[in-house]
Amino acid sequence: MRKLLITILLALVAMAFPVSGIARTSTGLKQSKDYGPDSTIVSKYKVFRGCSGGMMVHTGWLTSSDVNFASPSGAVVGPMRMSGMPYGIGGAAKVHLWNWLRVGSEGFVSHLNYGKNNSNESIGWGGLLVDFIYPAGRWFPFAGVTIGGGAVKNATVLDATTSDFILDDGTTSYRKYAFMAVCPYLGFEFALTSEVHIVLRADCLLDVTSRQPDFPLGPRIYFGFMFWR
């Protein structure tokens, strides 16, 4: 009787926590049969399908509107645009629901050097995300959106400084502000194994509140790895 109860208990545990796409050979080694969610009848209607997380680096092309600067004497300097190829890093963590939905959060930081005097603009943002995914063998195309907030730091150097420790009037502008971020994205993951995926993604970060003229817009391209559990 005790053996029967133990067998039933183990069967219930296995049904509640199925291992997706993994089988064991006679040698005890794991062998991947499926790179997507388990397609068995037991797990077909499960809501929670696991989780994933990872890191990505990015680049792209960004440009702002024309920005004019005023010197202490009142003279207008410009117009000038914040344009170039950004670079940055960040990560995401997602919970998988059913066979097609993921929710979670992400955060990134992006740097843009521009102008002949090595001006720099840094943007950090993060928020909650939701995306839809379509498992197709090793390929996992997805599309979604992140909603959250961020901050911008922009140091514009209009003329080269003459000395390290002497203040030059009218040569540098420094701005700092916060914004509400909406970031639609799309991309795909490719499964190297059932637990390690390569991810390639493109997005466009939008400032939907402050709408500052020096906020650069454009596509960012991401590459990284996601680890599935």
Side-chain angles (χ1 to χ4, degrees):
M1 185 67 179
R2 185 164 54 183
K3 291 183 178 180
L4 178 61
L5 290 176
I6 294 175
T7 302
I8 294 174
L9 179 61
L10 290 176
L12 291 175
V13 171
M15 291 172 63
F17 302 96
V19 179
S20 175
I22 299 296
R24 290 189 180 271
T25 65
S26 59
T27 59
L29 298 177
K30 288 184 178 181
Q31 184 179 24
S32 176
K33 298 191 302 181
D34 184 9
Y35 295 93
D38 197 342
S39 59
T40 62
I41 296 176
V42 172
S43 64
K44 183 177 180 180
Y45 300 103
K46 283 181 64 66
V47 176
F48 177 70
R49 307 301 295 270
C51 57
S52 61
M55 301 289 290
M56 291 169 277
V57 295
H58 68 261
T59 185
W61 180 262
L62 305 178
T63 185
S64 71
S65 302
D66 290 333
V67 180
N68 291 312
F69 298 89
S71 67
S73 62
V76 176
V77 180
M80 184 176 185
R81 287 193 176 190
M82 295 70 193
S83 299
M85 297 180 66
Y87 61 93
I89 192 171
K94 303 178 182 182
V95 174
H96 303 194
L97 304 177
W98 294 287
N99 195 23
W100 48 270
L101 180 66
R102 301 185 297 186
V103 296
S105 63
E106 66 179 12
F108 296 93
V109 61
S110 189
H111 302 282
L112 174 64
N113 295 325
Y114 64 92
K116 61 182 180 180
N117 296 307
N118 198 29
S119 301
N120 179 267
E121 187 166 15
S122 297
I123 305 175
W125 76 96
L128 301 178
L129 66 85
V130 58
D131 66 33
F132 299 91
I133 186 170
Y134 181 78
R138 287 178 177 261
W139 299 92
F140 296 81
F142 61 84
V145 64
T146 300
I147 300 177
V152 176
K153 297 179 180 180
N154 187 15
T156 304
V157 181
L158 300 173
D159 292 310
T161 56
T162 58
S163 178
D164 291 340
F165 300 102
I166 297 178
L167 298 178
D168 293 331
D169 293 334
T171 62
T172 304
S173 168
Y174 178 75
R175 305 189 70 236
K176 181 179 179 181
Y177 56 89
F179 67 97
M180 178 179 176
V182 173
C183 186
Y185 61 85
L186 55 84
F188 66 86
E189 295 182 22
F190 178 78
L192 298 177
T193 70
S194 60
E195 296 179 347
V196 181
H197 290 202
I198 293 175
V199 57
L200 184 66
R201 147 181 162 164
D203 71 16
C204 183
L205 178 64
L206 304 175
D207 171 7
V208 298
T209 50
S210 59
R211 299 180 181 177
Q212 300 292 328
D214 63 340
F215 188 88
L217 296 174
R220 289 179 174 86
I221 305 297
Y222 298 74
F223 175 81
F225 292 90
M226 298 294 287
F227 301 93
W228 287 42
R229 294 286 292 179

